[in-house]
Amino acid sequence: MRKRLNELERDATFAALFRAALMELLPLGKTGIGDTAEKLCVSTRPLQRRLKSENTSYQQQLNHSRELLGRHFLRTSDMSISEIAFLLGFEEHSSFSRAFHNWTGVSPDAFRAQAG
């Protein structure tokens, strides 16, 4: 995960920095926009404006970060789907499974099997 965060930090966009901060905060259970704003040392409204100027939003970046981390955990760990869902801030295993299927077109179990 550190390697991926370092790659994102090299990207010049604010959205990439935002995703990097989110990726650090998600496993800590901090999924709110205020948590991420605090991490980036900005207030919430300017953060939202900055994301909007890059044609994205907090929710889009949250979903993208969850997808990237979900793929990473499924590929590189033996954690259960429930554990991964919890780390990504989902209340229930089924919510993560539905979201993951929407992102990738396959279930978390199928993705893990394909990844090998």
Side-chain angles (χ1 to χ4, degrees), residues 9-79:
E9 288 173 354
R10 280 185 247 137
D11 189 342
T13 67
F14 183 75
L17 293 174
F18 184 80
R19 278 192 309 275
L22 263 176
M23 288 185 165
E24 287 183 24
L25 294 170
L26 280 172
L28 302 174
K30 297 182 177 185
T31 61
I33 192 168
D35 298 319
T36 313
E38 184 179 326
K39 174 97 175 135
L40 294 172
C41 301
V42 297
S43 59
T44 303
R45 189 64 191 126
L47 183 147
Q48 290 171 319
R49 280 195 298 269
R50 190 88 183 264
L51 290 173
K52 186 176 181 179
S53 76
E54 294 183 12
N55 298 315
T56 190
S57 69
Y58 170 75
Q59 192 61 51
Q60 288 172 315
Q61 293 305 311
L62 176 63
N63 289 338
H64 185 64
S65 299
R66 283 175 160 172
E67 178 186 353
L68 291 174
L69 281 175
R71 286 174 181 258
H72 171 77
F73 290 143
L74 288 167
R75 224 182 350 263
T76 63
S77 77
D78 60 356
M79 285 187 280

